[in-house]
Amino acid sequence: MKALIKLIIAALVVHATWRAGMVYWQYYQFRDGVQQIAQFAGRQPDAEVHNRVLGLAKELLVPLDPDRLSVRRQENHTLIAASYDERIELLPRYFYPWEFRVAADAFTIVPKN
């Protein structure tokens, strides 16, 4: 009986680790993609950068609301801030809400024509 309980606990730990790990992997991919978009924004209009981030979120299946995404420029910096909520299934049928935040501040050099 002890062995069965230990196996059940081990299975629950593996389940939670797998589910949380997949969600975090998705977050890290999204965060890296947003950083790259900010670095290579160049002279693209803010609306285009905004749409590229939304496209990346859609591609990675990140539930990003367009209202929770901001793109702005300050001198030679491109600043992108986004946040989204994800439900992580830690135990079967038990979901834990978690907010993910992404912030990218990239220095961009745009050559003068």
Side-chain angles (χ1 to χ4, degrees):
M1 191 62 165
K2 276 186 173 182
L4 180 62
I5 292 173
K6 287 180 183 180
L7 283 174
I8 290 172
I9 291 172
L12 291 174
V13 169
V14 168
H15 178 268
T17 303
W18 176 258
R19 294 295 181 139
M22 293 305 292
V23 171
Y24 270 92
W25 176 250
Q26 182 182 44
Y27 163 72
Y28 289 126
Q29 287 182 314
F30 180 64
R31 186 185 70 179
D32 290 345
V34 169
Q35 184 65 38
Q36 285 185 359
I37 290 170
Q39 284 177 329
F40 299 109
R43 292 187 178 155
Q44 296 175 356
D46 290 353
E48 186 175 334
V49 175
H50 190 274
N51 289 336
R52 287 185 61 205
V53 173
L54 288 176
L56 177 65
K58 185 176 181 180
E59 177 184 321
L60 295 174
L61 304 175
V62 170
L64 180 63
D65 183 8
D67 295 334
R68 295 179 70 181
L69 170 63
S70 69
V71 176
R72 59 190 171 97
R73 308 280 174 108
Q74 289 181 342
E75 297 177 14
N76 294 346
H77 289 271
T78 301
L79 303 156
I80 301 174
S83 65
Y84 65 94
D85 297 320
E86 185 80 49
R87 293 177 46 192
I88 302 173
E89 185 180 12
L90 295 179
L91 296 173
R93 296 189 212 142
Y94 174 74
F95 293 89
Y96 185 78
W98 195 266
E99 181 181 22
F100 291 93
R101 295 174 188 245
V102 175
D105 178 3
F107 181 73
T108 53
I109 299 175
V110 179
K112 294 183 179 181
N113 289 334

